[in-house]
Amino acid sequence: MNTIAVLGSANMDLVVRQSRLPLPGETIFGTGFSTVPGGKGLNQAVAAARLGGDVTFLGAVGADAYGTELRALLVGEGIRSAELTTADAPTGTAHISVVDSGENSIVVVSGANATVTTLSVEQRAVVADAAFLVMQCELPTRVLVEGIALARAAGVFTVLTPAPVVPLPAGFLASVDLVVPNQGEAAELTGESDPVRAAELLSAEGSWAIVTLGSEGAVVAFDGEALGLAPARPVTAIDTTAAGDTFVGALVAQLAAGYLRGTAVTSDQMIEAVRYATVASSIAVTRAGATTSMPTKAEVDAILA
């Protein structure tokens, strides 16, 4: 089976549900509180594993109760985590406000994630042996650059979610095989408000770009040309926190299922993977939380049957 190496953040999400966001200086009452394992890296790893992916997770947690809980979750999901390091810093946290419409706002405190500045010998071996390397921008840029360079040298297909948008070295995005931003991130990266044009700009020089548009679906582009709009599956959303991470995890799991390492991903393979990811994401937004909302392969297959 093709291994998916996820190099990314692991957080404990501290989630408050409320009717609306407070105004500056205002105090309002919330309607619920929960702690949910999260972090964009861990979220994508869990989504990929639940949807049939063979996943190894690389990153760091603290020597605290949250770190212990996150390690237990990875084991429970069948995700290899022997190279998840224990940092001399608290486990990362994400402070999430979810309003009744399902939209959310998030403040991340990096904690242990900020200590991941380089890959160990063992972690480098995991990346080089993988078929896919999946990353986000919640780790220091230095280690992202190292990961991409190592993966390219080893013929590993690379996937980046450029969230949050951070300063990246010139040419970095062009060196990634597949970039998956949402519409706002794509606009910030390219200066182009039209998501179709943004996808075309991000996919230049022989790479792939998928710009997600929430309830409007996703734009798929390759080598500077948009291939079309993949429609979303209509649902009533209650929490969009994990929508993007579920999409990416599902996408990579589906690509890995039929991928021959060292070969090019075809348009048919990518379009089918996007279709699969769209269904997975549509299920996740009908449930609360991040990892708690992510569907299993059986659930997605049942809808696509």
Side-chain angles (χ1 to χ4, degrees):
M1 182 180 289
N2 288 316
T3 301
I4 301 165
V6 179
L7 172 60
S9 57
N11 295 329
M12 185 60 72
D13 292 349
L14 311 178
V15 184
V16 174
R17 298 197 68 89
Q18 57 209 70
S19 61
R20 61 176 176 83
L21 295 178
L23 300 173
E26 180 186 21
T27 298
I28 65 173
F29 286 103
T31 57
F33 173 77
S34 60
T35 57
V36 182
K40 296 195 72 64
L42 185 142
N43 287 346
Q44 292 180 3
V46 169
R50 286 192 188 163
L51 294 164
D54 180 22
V55 182
T56 299
F57 185 71
L58 306 173
V61 294
D64 50 28
Y66 288 160
T68 298
E69 188 172 344
L70 296 183
R71 286 184 179 277
L73 170 72
L74 292 168
V75 171
E77 297 288 345
I79 298 169
R80 288 182 296 274
S81 56
E83 307 309 329
L84 176 64
T85 62
T86 300
D88 186 20
T91 298
T93 52
H95 305 257
I96 304 174
S97 297
V98 182
V99 298
D100 290 343
S101 66
E103 294 299 323
N104 64 78
S105 59
I106 305 173
V107 177
V108 174
V109 180
S110 295
N113 297 307
T115 70
V116 185
T117 57
T118 190
L119 297 172
S120 67
V121 172
E122 295 79 11
Q123 290 171 332
R124 290 177 65 87
V126 169
V127 172
D129 288 342
F132 290 82
L133 173 64
V134 179
M135 302 190 303
Q136 318 76 34
C137 293
E138 290 184 340
L139 296 183
T141 302
R142 173 182 169 186
V143 79
L144 304 182
V145 173
E146 181 181 355
I148 289 293
L150 174 60
R152 287 183 66 84
V156 179
F157 191 97
T158 54
V159 181
L160 176 72
T161 303
V165 174
V166 297
L168 294 168
F172 178 79
L173 287 176
S175 70
V176 179
D177 293 303
L178 169 60
V179 180
V180 191
N182 63 27
Q183 185 172 0
E185 292 154 358
E188 191 171 350
L189 289 166
T190 64
E192 178 58 68
S193 59
D194 177 4
V196 174
R197 182 58 185 145
E200 290 175 338
L201 291 172
L202 289 169
S203 68
E205 301 181 42
S207 62
W208 289 92
I210 299 172
V211 177
T212 59
L213 309 175
S215 61
E216 296 181 14
V219 177
V220 183
F222 176 69
D223 196 21
E225 181 178 353
L227 303 185
L229 173 67
R233 175 173 171 258
V235 295
T236 300
I238 67 167
D239 186 350
T240 61
T241 302
D245 293 334
T246 300
F247 183 94
V248 172
L251 181 82
V252 176
Q254 185 68 10
L255 287 175
Y259 181 70
L260 180 62
R261 178 170 167 162
T263 63
V265 172
T266 68
S267 295
D268 286 346
Q269 287 174 318
M270 187 63 75
I271 290 169
E272 180 59 30
V274 170
R275 177 171 174 258
Y276 188 90
T278 297
V279 172
S281 183
S282 75
I283 296 172
V285 300
T286 64
R287 304 168 178 171
T291 54
T292 51
S293 72
M294 293 172 174
T296 63
K297 187 175 185 300
E299 289 177 305
V300 177
D301 289 347
I303 290 173
L304 289 171

